[in-house]
Amino acid sequence: MMRLHRLYYVLALFNAITVAASLYLGHEMIQIIKSSVAIYRETQQRLGRYSELGRRAQEANAVINATFADGSIEAHERDFDAARREFEAALQVEREETARLPAEDRQMLGPTLDEIADGMAQMTVGVHEVFRHLRAHSLPEATRAMVAADRHYGRITIALRRMRGDAVDLQAHVLDRQEQDANDRRWNELAIALAVLVMVMATGFYGQQVSKRLRRDEHERTEYFTALEGVQEALREQAGELERRVEQRTGELATANRQMAEAQQLANIGSWSWHVRSGLVTWSDQQYRVMGFEPGSVTPSYELYMKALHPDDRDKVQAVVDRAMENGEPFEVLQRVIGPEGRTRHVETRGQATRRPDGQVSGLTGTSQDITVAHNAERARRAAEEQFRAYVENTAEWVWALDPRGFLTYSNRAVFDILGYEPEELIGKDVRPLVEPKARAATERLLPEVIAGRQRWNGIVRRFLHKNGEWRYLESSGMPVLDDTGRFVGFRGAERDITGRKLAEEALRRSEERFQLAASATNDVIWDFDVPTGAIWRNEGMRRLFGHADGVQQMEGWEALLHPDERAGVRARLDTFLASDRETWTDEYRLRRGDGSYAWVLDRGIAVRADGKPVRMIGSMIDISDRKEAERMKSDFVSFVSHQLRTPLAGMNWMLELAAEAEHLPAQARDYIGEARESAARLSTLVNDLLDIARLESGRTMMAHHAVRLDEVTRSVLREMQTVIDDKHHRVTYETAGAAPALGDEQMLRQVIANLLSNAIKYTPDGGRIDVRLTQRKDLVEWSVSDNGMGIPRAAQGRLFEKFYRADNAISKEAEGTGLGLHLVRLVVEHAGGQIWCDSEEGEGSRFTFTLPVAQQEGVRA
Amino acid sequence: MSATARVLLVEDDKFLRRACEASLRQKGFLVTTANDGEEGLRLARAAPYADVILLDLLMPKLPGIEVLRALKSQPETKSIPVLILSNSSREDDKQAAMQLGAAGYYVKANLSLRELAVQVDQLVQQHEAH
């Protein structure tokens, strides 16, 4: 390495020298070039100066010529002098320049300059001669002088020319010198080139050596690191192995500790030790917890322990500790510990003494167990036992225990209430005779099975003989009792007095029997509707009469059987009934038979209510199809006949109308015709009424239910009747406090009002008083008309609204009346959902009142 | 009252027919009568067309309701207003007639001739307005 190092320095030096030499050579060459250029330039300048000189000389010469031309001598003389001076100046410059040259070079040029100077001087002389002669106006002299001057000028020119050549020669000479110089340096060049070559080769060699060395070093280093890695690897393995072993040992240790701690925690036992002289106390983690602390949160000490004890237990514990310290015997003590959070724990401490080598007691060590749970459990158990005992003693059921023979070993007080015996009277005795013989035999038969199978029994009902000779029904439950070894040692059970229930059941059964018999005997369908659940039970009449299954069906099933036209109405009326507090319900509707045809049914029921709410309805359905059919036929007949009656009626009316309009009618005939028309009108009314009644009764009418303004209708009817009222000189008052529209058919209600008013007018003697009132009470509209007329006998009032009924006093009174009016009135009112009644005193007057529901919505149909 | 108003009366009862015809004539209408539905329909279809038709419902041969249906389905008689003069006050009958396009429905026994004339006159004037 050292060798290379030295080589490096040598090489560096050599390189430096070579480079320096090269640089120097270079420098020299440049200098040569520069001087060559300088020489060249110098020569050019010289030549330039020579030219200048030439020009000056020429100028000077020219002056002479000029002088000859124009003859102005002074001027030209001046010019010549000027030119000459210039020439002299230029020449002087040249001399100076030449003086700078090296001696050898100077020699080449110097003489010539002198010659030129001389030439000029001569010329000057000549020129002055010229001027002199010119002045003297001797032209030929002048000319001769000029020629002489010219000659000198020629010399100058020639000398200049020669100098020019000399200058060029000089240049060549100098250049030769330069070339020689350069050639001399050729060897230097070569030497330097060689040196450069050596430099390059040496450097290369050096570089190679260096890289070889580096490679070798690299190789060595690699080997070294490989070896190093190997060693490291081995070390790591060993370290790993070591760690594993340590971990393992630590793990085992930790596990052991943990198990110990867990065991302590599970059992809630802590361990402690106390070295008396130093006062050092150690607690295991669980010991802390037993004492109520977090492990490690306090420093254990005897004082801390004592302080934690319940005040009442301190003396006890102290005494135990003292004794243990004295005699070294193992000890145990139960104490209460109050934790820092205030909770009391029951702790059982066991311990023993630790002894010094010399046998003296040095301290204590042991365990403490938190037995609070067990302690509390024991207390709870005892309390439960007490409670149970109290319960058994005081229950209404007769609780007993028998030995295997069947002799009573235990009985609670209830036996007195149930069978009339005091417990003391029966204990130790065989109680089986108290049981009804029949039941007893059955029981005895089953006993072996019960015992063998260790089965409980429940719900066995037997009759027992009360002390007073009466039978009681007792429901038994019990089980055989076995001891720890499984040996049968007796029975245990309870009896419940169900005598009351039994009697009730019996009564119910008989009642049910009666009912069933009655239900079968009748021809009607008997039904029982449980309102809350919606279930309806029917007897077999359902099958017999209508071809449906008897038994229980849901409410919706019954609804589905109703005729679509009636369904909503019936349902609505039923709901209204259920919501009210009425007791009886009745309705008529069509029910679909099993074969699809419809039967008319009269349905009646009674509601049983609890707290005003209906819980049950019981009723019967009668098939009134026949009756309805008869009614319908009658209705149809009435309808048919009425229509037929109308045709001749119309004929009569019209003919009479025509007759009344005939011209030239005698007055009497006119009267007769008038009365005939009145009669016909009455007949018309009768027929209309009959038809209305027939329609309403047939149940097939769809009376329009709109909102009818009774106020307007009343006023309108009153207006119509004004004539009759005036004829009879009645005083009619009409008062209304305003009422909502009522629900009904306007046309029919108009008839109702007209009818009632007409009656009032009719049955009141002239000059009577009629009061009409229209009010609203809650959701009912009330309309009434009172008169001070004949009144209605009490006996007749009940039958007033029957068809064709006219009270006796009415009939006797000659007033027209078909007896249809009120019947129709009632039908219309009731059809509209209202009510009508009459208050009357014979001889004083009557008041007819009807109510109608207020129209809640428009267009509700019945 | 239009003097040239024509009324066609279709009614099977003799007395009614005579009384109605007389009354209407007195009041200045030109009255044609038919005894039954068939005749009534035939007369209705023939020109000159009536301005108003009075139609009974209960008739032999062709019931009034059918006559009404036929009248309302034929272009030449469709627009002639028809008054039903019936003796049935049944809602069904009335509805059926009104739905078929009858201009009115009256129960003869409750209708005076004077009222009838008024109705006919009104219908005639309405009809002329078209």
Side-chain angles (χ1 to χ4, degrees), chain A residues 643 646-647 651 654 657 688, chain B residues 16 87-89 110-111 113-114:
Chain A
H643 285 124
R646 272 183 168 153
T647 308
W654 287 358
E657 193 178 339
N688 285 339
Chain B
L16 291 176
N87 267 326
S88 160
S89 53
N110 297 337
L111 180 70
L113 286 170
R114 195 180 57 209

Side-chain angles (χ1 to χ4, degrees), chain A residues 361-376:
Chain A
V361 173
S362 60
L364 297 176
T365 182
T367 60
S368 295
Q369 184 173 20
D370 184 343
I371 57 164
T372 312
V373 171
H375 182 90
N376 290 343

Side-chain angles (χ1 to χ4, degrees), chain A residues 4 19 137 143 260 294 328 346 583 703 791 794 803 808 812:
Chain A
L4 267 179
V19 166
H137 300 294
T143 305
M260 167 74 148
E294 276 302 301
H346 294 267
E583 209 180 271
M703 228 167 78
R794 195 159 289 276
K803 218 189 288 198
D808 297 327
S812 65

Side-chain angles (χ1 to χ4, degrees), chain A residues 511-524:
Chain A
S511 164
E512 184 68 29
E513 228 173 22
R514 253 180 248 135
F515 170 73
Q516 290 291 5
L517 289 170
S520 313
T522 183
N523 206 24
D524 303 338

Side-chain angles (χ1 to χ4, degrees), chain B residues 2-58:
Chain B
S2 272
T4 55
R6 292 174 192 283
V7 178
L8 170 61
L9 172 64
V10 186
E11 169 64 60
D12 64 327
D13 183 87
K14 186 166 66 176
F15 300 112
L16 291 176
R17 214 174 37 241
R18 275 174 45 182
C20 190
E21 188 184 9
S23 171
L24 288 174
R25 283 237 174 86
Q26 260 181 29
K27 293 178 170 71
F29 292 97
L30 282 173
V31 184
T32 321
T33 63
N35 295 348
D36 57 63
E38 261 181 30
E39 192 185 352
L41 196 56
R42 192 167 41 81
L43 288 174
R45 287 193 193 137
Y49 299 115
D51 297 304
V52 176
I53 298 177
L54 304 178
L55 181 59
D56 184 18
L57 280 191
L58 218 58

